[in-house]
Amino acid sequence: MSPSMPGASGPATSVSEIGADVWPAPPARSGQRLFVLKEGDTFVVADAHGDITGEGDGLFHNDTRLLSSFRLLVNGVQPTLLSSAVGQDNAFFTANLTNHPLPPLGTTSTPQGVIHVERRRFLWDRRMYERITLVNFSDHPAQVPLQLLYDADFRDMFEVRGQVRSKRGDVAAEQQGDRWARLRYRGLDELWRSVVVSFSETAARLAERTAIYEVRLDSGERWVLYIEAGDEPAAPCAQRWRGAAARTRWQLRQKRRRGARVEASSRLFQAWIDKSKADLALLTTELPTGPYPYAGIPWFSTPFGRDAVVTALQTLWLDPSLARGVLSFLAEHQAQEISTFRDAEPGKIMHETRKGEMAAVNELPFGKYYGGVDTTPLFCVLAAAYAERTGDAVLIDTIWPALLAAVGWIEDNMLRHDGFVSYARAEATGLANQGWKDSHDSVFHADGSSPIGPIALVEVQGYAFAALEGLASLARVRGESSKSAHWADLARRLAHAVERSFWQEDLQFYALALDGSGTPCRVRASNAGHLLFSGLPSQERGRRVAQQLLSAAFDAGWGVRTLPSDAVRYNPMSYHNGSIWPHDVALCAAGIARYGERDGVVRLLDDMFEAAAFFGLRLPELFCGFARAAGEAPVAYPVACLPQAWAAGSVFMLLQQCLGVHIVAGDQVVLDQPRLPAGIESIKVAGIAVGTARIELNFRRRGKRILAFVNRRDGDRSTHVDVRL
């Protein structure tokens, strides 16, 4: 006999008539929204019911899925969903559910919709806490059969993403206590990985990865079950719940309070700002070297080099502490030797690090992987920008050897590749494309053919140019004049070479890349917007590129596409060939602002804001690049990370470019032709650290004019504000 399902007629069926070996399969999830929580190196992804079903979701720690199933059934069926949400501060997930008809208690049956079921969940200290509350709102007693189904497959993150392994480790037999069950796995790396599910109440039956409760509720009565999932048995209770909940909420609040505070006159725009800041707080992990933004959930909840550098650049004007943590971590993990398996060379900055079993046994090179051609110059760019923003000579002194090694790698790479920074993976296990568009089909010629490497990407030359200029500036401040002159000269020569080899006069645009023979990939792409961000192009050429990026071919109405609609590989549903990436839009906007198209920056910010409104004020990693149509929402990319650090940070870079804020360490703030987003009457940025001062900037709309002024200064009052209207 099957359990009663939603909409089924006839008398309710008791779960005792079913048997625990025929629990219903989880419903198909197509189109369902997933909900995430994160704390440290632990995160959980579940559906709107709070269930984990193993479809790319789970409870993860250190790139290993601990719980692959965690489902709640009431009388053998999934309860009806009323609502679910993660709070604005990202601390708690809550699902409100209710019952289907329940079996009789005596002569009275319990109808549908009278038992309220609340699931409330958070993470703290490598442990998932859950509280399940039942309340009987009927006029009669009710018998509520409750089942919790749990399992652990201990799959590596890359297995969850679809990687097939020829061999796995061994799953041990389940161990049980009165109120807990332990699942264990010994991997090929000889490490034991385990998860223990502990309960506050003794189950009527605890066996076969199932906990069954027969809960009797009088009218108006409440029943609470506390559950914890961690590496050791626990004694869940209300006191432990309250203590851990307070700590996780306090930690996230402290992270959100870092840096300056943005206050907008529009409630919806303010909610976007607040959600973006909360997402950055959620993704930021406190490492021994300082705060570090993990890239995104679920696939990239680990330190990435490129993503963290870009996120730090996006937020540098508001919160330099994130840049400090990123620089310190990356300097500590810089490559010291050659490894073709890891694409490592002395001086290179890390692309990605993983802690799972497959990385530990070298099935994949991502334990510590250096196959990113752009991360090393971006590391130097961030160091120079951080020094200019803060004047922190102590940190620069500390990481100066790492900066010398990084710029040494840049120079050596240029010498080996005809004066351009280029890449070609050393082994087939590495990434074929090693720029930010790292999918296999993201670099191509105008006819659609794939280039033969080594490949020199246009934006990477811009990063290298900015890195050399930045290092020249740092060396000049340090009194190392010969190094400064050498790097400045190398930057000039690189700029000339880029203008000569990448500029396509008939396209009035820069080529996407040069292939191994020096032939341009004559493809217009958003990569050129990053070149504008670096400041390499001449003013005239930069302005022409900016105008094209703002044209209908690129701007779909939701932001700049990665490829224009006339490109041969254009596909608005692809990962990199026509989609829209918020961080890409933000970097393009920074480049466009640099070449004078300030109104275009306002338009891109408005595009992103309106897209965010359709995505619950949380911009995803990317979304599809279909042209905007009246009354229609942007189209989601099905497996995008959400939240993603550099997507969350994009609003802050866009806002900085819109307001025209530039901060120079010690004593200067420049407000260059400030604009306000459409429909926003005023914005205040409070608590900006400039040297020893804390200043507050105010921007207000007065007719067609934007007024900008400093309302208050705390600390050193010598700070100079230069307003250029």
Side-chain angles (χ1 to χ4, degrees):
M1 184 175 290
S2 299
S4 60
M5 299 300 290
S9 59
T13 304
S14 169
V15 73
S16 63
E17 302 175 56
I18 302 170
D21 56 341
V22 290
W23 299 123
R29 271 207 185 143
S30 178
Q32 281 196 34
R33 181 182 174 190
L34 298 179
F35 295 80
V36 305
L37 299 172
K38 175 186 172 297
E39 194 276 324
D41 288 308
T42 305
F43 68 92
V44 61
V45 182
D47 66 17
H49 285 79
D51 284 344
I52 295 168
T53 68
E55 297 179 70
D57 57 1
L59 174 66
F60 295 81
H61 180 73
N62 281 348
D63 293 314
T64 299
R65 181 161 65 182
L66 301 181
L67 284 179
S68 54
S69 179
F70 192 70
R71 299 170 56 204
L72 172 66
L73 305 179
V74 177
N75 195 38
V77 297
Q78 188 179 59
T80 298
L81 176 67
L82 300 175
S83 70
S84 55
V86 170
Q88 180 73 7
D89 62 359
N90 287 324
F92 295 92
F93 165 80
T94 305
N96 290 286
L97 314 163
T98 192
N99 66 295
H100 299 289
L102 297 175
L105 182 62
T107 60
T108 304
S109 295
T110 301
Q112 181 169 336
V114 296
I115 307 297
H116 177 228
V117 183
E118 182 197 69
R119 299 181 76 175
R120 191 159 169 82
R121 174 184 298 160
F122 67 92
L123 300 176
W124 178 251
D125 194 22
R126 301 175 55 176
R127 183 172 289 268
M128 184 176 80
Y129 291 77
E130 179 149 338
R131 184 184 68 195
I132 298 174
T133 305
L134 307 182
V135 181
N136 181 6
F137 285 100
S138 74
D139 295 331
H140 304 283
Q143 187 75 22
V144 186
L146 196 73
Q147 302 87 40
L148 283 151
L149 316 182
Y150 55 89
D151 203 355
D153 61 9
F154 298 101
R155 292 192 177 272
D156 187 280
M157 173 58 75
F158 288 93
E159 288 184 274
V160 178
R161 292 170 62 180
Q163 189 84 21
V164 177
R165 302 178 69 187
S166 60
K167 186 180 179 182
R168 299 192 78 246
D170 301 312
V171 177
E174 180 177 352
Q175 298 175 330
Q176 292 182 3
D178 290 341
R179 295 184 180 180
W180 58 266
R182 186 198 306 269
L183 305 175
R184 297 186 302 154
Y185 167 80
R186 186 173 66 181
L188 300 181
D189 55 359
E190 300 300 324
L191 291 180
W192 281 98
R193 293 168 173 87
S194 67
V195 62
V196 182
V197 183
S198 303
F199 305 92
S200 62
E201 303 292 331
T202 302
R205 180 183 176 194
L206 182 62
E208 299 172 3
R209 292 165 168 73
T210 306
I212 297 177
Y213 292 88
E214 297 290 342
V215 183
R216 188 187 188 283
L217 290 173
D218 290 332
S219 175
E221 188 176 3
R222 176 188 304 267
W223 181 84
V224 180
L225 176 67
Y226 294 95
I227 306 170
E228 296 182 25
D231 56 356
E232 293 294 338
C237 62
Q239 183 179 4
R240 282 178 59 87
W241 166 276
R242 287 194 296 268
R247 288 190 289 272
T248 194
R249 177 161 274 169
W250 179 87
Q251 181 189 71
L252 286 169
R253 184 182 298 121
Q254 293 301 110
K255 290 180 182 179
R256 293 196 310 277
R257 287 178 175 174
R258 284 186 180 136
R261 185 176 68 257
V262 178
E263 299 176 13
S265 58
S266 162
R267 291 179 63 185
L268 189 61
F269 193 88
Q270 184 66 51
W272 182 32
I273 293 286
D274 292 343
K275 187 61 178 175
S276 299
K277 196 163 189 178
D279 282 351
L280 285 176
L282 177 74
L283 290 166
T284 298
T285 299
E286 299 299 321
L287 301 177
T289 47
Y292 198 97
Y294 283 12
I297 300 174
W299 312 122
F300 308 123
S301 187
T302 188
F304 272 71
R306 177 194 302 122
D307 298 59
V309 169
V310 171
T311 305
L313 286 168
Q314 291 170 331
T315 57
L316 180 58
W317 68 295
L318 297 170
D319 179 18
S321 70
L322 200 60
R324 182 184 179 90
V326 169
L327 289 167
S328 299
F329 178 88
L330 293 178
E332 188 172 289
H333 292 85
Q334 188 173 37
Q336 304 295 324
E337 59 188 10
I338 294 175
S339 168
T340 57
F341 180 63
R342 302 190 186 281
D343 273 316
E345 297 171 347
K348 285 187 79 173
I349 296 298
M350 183 199 74
H351 169 70
E352 173 181 2
T353 182
R354 295 285 184 173
K355 300 177 181 177
E357 177 189 357
M358 293 178 72
V361 298
N362 289 330
E363 290 182 45
L364 294 168
F366 302 118
K368 195 175 287 184
Y369 183 60
Y370 295 87
V373 70
D374 50 2
T375 312
T376 306
L378 280 171
F379 170 72
C380 299
V381 170
L382 179 61
Y386 173 81
E388 181 185 48
R389 169 68 178 84
T390 66
D392 184 356
V394 174
L395 178 66
I396 299 303
D397 286 344
T398 302
I399 66 171
W400 189 247
L403 289 168
L404 291 178
V407 76
W409 177 84
I410 293 171
E411 290 192 60
D412 181 64
N413 185 285
M414 291 171 67
L415 283 172
R416 288 184 280 123
H417 298 114
D418 297 325
F420 296 114
V421 178
S422 306
Y423 69 88
R425 64 179 174 184
E427 294 190 19
T429 51
L431 293 173
N433 283 316
Q434 299 189 353
W436 84 261
K437 296 178 181 178
D438 56 8
S439 52
H440 72 281
D441 59 351
S442 62
V443 183
F444 54 96
H445 284 291
D447 63 359
S449 62
S450 297
I452 302 299
I455 294 169
L457 291 166
V458 65
E459 79 275 16
V460 175
Q461 313 318 309
Y463 302 153
F465 167 80
L468 291 165
E469 280 205 328
L471 266 292
S473 177
L474 290 177
R476 186 166 56 252
V477 171
R478 293 171 57 85
E480 300 183 32
S481 57
S482 61
K483 285 188 176 68
S484 177
H486 169 68
W487 291 326
D489 179 65
L490 192 56
R492 284 191 294 271
R493 287 191 278 127
L494 176 58
H496 290 316
V498 170
E499 295 283 33
R500 181 177 63 251
S501 298
F502 281 82
W503 179 253
Q504 305 298 298
E505 184 65 26
D506 59 331
L507 300 178
Q508 292 292 288
F509 211 83
Y510 291 93
L512 168 62
L514 303 181
D515 68 13
S517 66
T519 303
C521 295
R522 288 170 41 81
V523 175
R524 295 186 302 157
S526 64
N527 305 57
H530 299 219
L531 189 70
L532 303 190
F533 168 74
S534 74
L536 182 150
S538 66
Q539 189 64 32
E540 181 183 357
R541 287 181 176 178
R543 193 72 175 260
R544 292 176 193 172
V545 171
Q547 290 168 350
Q548 289 197 51
L549 290 171
L550 293 168
S551 71
F554 273 100
D555 185 0
W558 300 115
V560 177
R561 296 184 181 107
T562 52
L563 282 181
S565 52
D566 59 3
V568 66
R569 287 192 183 177
Y570 170 73
N571 175 359
M573 300 176 290
S574 69
Y575 197 54
H576 286 129
N577 290 335
S579 53
I580 297 170
W581 290 65
H583 89 277
D584 184 38
V585 177
L587 285 167
C588 286
I592 288 167
R594 188 163 192 157
Y595 287 86
E597 294 289 343
R598 303 303 306 283
D599 292 335
V601 173
V602 176
R603 194 176 87 203
L604 292 178
L605 175 56
D606 292 342
D607 287 349
M608 286 286 96
F609 175 38
E610 290 165 11
F614 284 101
F615 288 116
L617 300 178
R618 172 183 271 174
L619 284 172
E621 175 189 16
L622 75 154
F623 53 95
C624 294
F626 291 106
R628 184 171 182 172
E632 295 185 6
V635 178
Y637 187 81
V639 292
C641 283
L642 192 69
Q644 180 90 351
W646 61 9
S650 63
V651 59
F652 302 109
M653 179 172 273
L654 285 162
L655 186 60
Q656 180 186 13
Q657 301 308 317
C658 194
L659 299 177
V661 178
H662 179 69
I663 303 172
V664 180
D667 63 355
Q668 187 178 19
V669 177
V670 177
L671 307 179
D672 185 14
Q673 302 179 61
R675 305 285 201 276
L676 283 171
I680 307 298
E681 296 303 310
S682 65
I683 285 179
K684 178 172 70 175
V685 188
I688 299 177
V690 184
T692 60
R694 294 273 176 176
I695 68 171
E696 179 182 290
L697 301 176
N698 284 267
F699 304 86
R700 293 182 183 174
R701 194 184 302 277
R702 288 290 184 269
K704 295 182 178 180
R705 300 177 61 203
I706 303 298
L707 304 182
F709 55 93
V710 178
N711 190 45
R712 184 179 67 249
R713 294 175 181 163
D714 297 325
D716 184 0
R717 296 183 177 272
S718 64
T719 302
H720 174 67
V721 179
D722 181 9
V723 181
R724 303 170 185 174
L725 299 176

